[in-house]
Amino acid sequence: MLSFFPLHIQQEQPIYTTRAHVFQIDPTTKKNWVPASKQAVTVSYFYDSTRNSYRIISVDGSKVIINSTITPNMTFTKTSQKFGQWADSRANTVFGLGFASEQQLTKFAEKFQEVKEQAKLARDKSQEKVETLSNHSQSESGRDTPSTNQASSINGTDDEKISHVGPEAALLQSENERLKSAVEQSNTNAKKWETELQTLRENNARLVDALQESSANVESWKKQLSACKEESDTLRKKIAELEAQCNEANQERQKNAQLTVRVKELEAELQEKEQELENLRKQAEIIPQLMSECESITSKLQAAETRNKELEGRIEGLQLDINDSRQKQGNMKIELKKLMNVLDGKLDELQEFRQGLSKLGADN
């Protein structure tokens, strides 16, 4: 984890603050992102006036998760609508930020570019100052050397030189010594900066390789995502077709249920018709008995007519009874004929009903 000193925060001033989810590249694989915070935390740009430098700092509780000094060679890259990243060669890692909206990401990227330009200007001014100081030291050294030799050649001895050297020459010598030490310090700093620059170049090369590998992985992930989307679309179409087939099956089940209910109703009607037919059959069984009774009455009537010839006197008294009997017999025959006609009609209806039921069962 990066080191962080509270004293720096007191010297630095925040110039921009936002909130984001912080990630770091996996140091082992250099491919996967590792969450540095469990939730969105504050991410701020700080300016250090004493060092004339800019840093991005983020603290999660008492834990520092970002402490990145911005240099002119850094680049902030948007990898998606809400995610961006940059490489820090000094920390030897890549930081990633996930924002809640695309506007926050755009504003953070613009601020990064602005701070990067300020850091570049600060570096150029520092280099110009060192070069000016070095050139001034060299020019002063060039002027002092001839005058000293000339004074030595003219005056001859050290005592004579000291006696002839004025306050201005002593001031120039002290200034020359100070400039020499400054040049030596600048040379030492230049060597140090060259070493740091070489380290930065090596780290930058490694980060470029990691970024290229990450870009290749992103392209691979995009292809896999496209393939998954195509497979998902195919599955959605199949699901839609299966749902349509299920709807048709449900409709068929409903039709079958309706037909089953209709068959039960028809079976109930058939039972009623069969019961009615049974009643008619029972009534038809009485008809032979009535016919036999009718024949018996007819024979008795004939006997009575025969006896009527013999008993004409008595027939007159019984004529009314005979007429009544004949009338009853006629009415009975009429009723019997009606009953037979009704029975025939019922039998025809029952036959048609059975044929319709058989046809309905065959269709189902």
Side-chain angles (χ1 to χ4, degrees), residues 344-360:
D344 292 335
K346 294 293 182 179
L347 290 174
D348 294 336
E349 290 179 3
L350 183 60
Q351 186 65 24
E352 292 177 357
F353 181 75
R354 284 184 175 177
Q355 291 178 355
L357 185 61
S358 299
K359 184 179 181 181
L360 181 61

Side-chain angles (χ1 to χ4, degrees), residues 126-149:
S126 177
Q127 289 179 353
E128 289 176 1
K129 184 176 180 181
V130 172
E131 290 175 357
T132 303
L133 188 61
S134 177
N135 293 332
H136 181 69
S137 176
Q138 292 176 1
S139 64
E140 290 294 335
S141 299
R143 286 198 302 270
D144 288 345
T145 303
S147 62
T148 304
N149 293 333

Side-chain angles (χ1 to χ4, degrees), residues 15 30 126-127 175 190 212 249 327 364:
I15 57 177
K30 298 293 184 181
S126 177
Q127 289 179 353
E175 183 67 20
Q212 290 176 353
Q327 187 176 1
N364 190 19

Side-chain angles (χ1 to χ4, degrees), residues 147-165:
S147 62
T148 304
N149 293 333
Q150 184 179 3
S152 176
S153 63
I154 292 174
N155 296 325
T157 63
D158 293 338
D159 293 338
E160 291 175 349
K161 285 191 292 181
I162 293 172
S163 63
H164 288 284
V165 172

Side-chain angles (χ1 to χ4, degrees), residues 49-241:
S49 58
T50 59
R51 300 181 180 181
N52 195 19
S53 63
Y54 296 87
R55 289 197 298 167
I56 299 176
I57 297 175
S58 179
V59 181
D60 187 7
S62 60
K63 178 182 176 183
V64 179
I65 55 179
I66 299 178
N67 184 11
S68 177
T69 301
I70 300 176
T71 59
N73 60 344
M74 284 185 178
T75 302
F76 185 83
T77 306
K78 296 180 182 179
T79 57
S80 68
Q81 292 183 350
K82 298 181 181 180
F83 192 87
Q85 67 183 40
W86 79 95
D88 190 341
S89 58
R90 295 183 180 180
N92 194 21
T93 187
V94 180
F95 293 102
L97 296 179
F99 295 90
S101 64
E102 185 177 1
Q103 290 78 9
Q104 291 180 354
L105 173 60
T106 302
K107 194 170 183 180
F108 187 89
E110 292 174 353
K111 199 66 181 179
F112 192 97
Q113 185 65 26
E114 179 183 342
V115 170
K116 175 182 172 181
E117 294 295 333
Q118 294 295 331
K120 183 178 181 181
L121 291 175
R123 186 190 66 178
D124 294 341
K125 288 181 180 178
S126 177
Q127 289 179 353
E128 289 176 1
K129 184 176 180 181
V130 172
E131 290 175 357
T132 303
L133 188 61
S134 177
N135 293 332
H136 181 69
S137 176
Q138 292 176 1
S139 64
E140 290 294 335
S141 299
R143 286 198 302 270
D144 288 345
T145 303
S147 62
T148 304
N149 293 333
Q150 184 179 3
S152 176
S153 63
I154 292 174
N155 296 325
T157 63
D158 293 338
D159 293 338
E160 291 175 349
K161 285 191 292 181
I162 293 172
S163 63
H164 288 284
V165 172
E168 294 180 358
L171 181 62
L172 287 174
Q173 286 181 356
S174 62
E175 183 67 20
N176 187 24
E177 294 295 332
R178 188 180 65 80
L179 290 174
K180 283 181 180 179
S181 63
V183 169
E184 291 176 355
Q185 183 66 31
S186 66
N187 291 332
T188 304
N189 292 334
K191 292 180 180 179
K192 186 190 297 183
W193 291 338
E194 287 178 358
T195 304
E196 291 183 358
L197 181 61
Q198 184 63 28
T199 304
L200 290 175
R201 286 174 179 171
E202 292 176 356
N203 293 334
N204 189 30
R206 288 197 299 268
L207 290 174
V208 167
D209 293 337
L211 183 60
Q212 290 176 353
E213 187 176 359
S214 176
S215 300
N217 291 332
V218 168
E219 293 297 328
S220 176
W221 294 337
K222 286 181 179 179
K223 291 179 181 178
Q224 293 178 3
L225 180 60
S226 177
C228 290
K229 286 182 178 179
E230 292 178 357
E231 186 176 358
S232 178
D233 293 337
T234 304
L235 291 175
R236 285 197 183 100
K237 291 179 180 178
K238 290 183 179 179
I239 289 172
E241 292 176 357

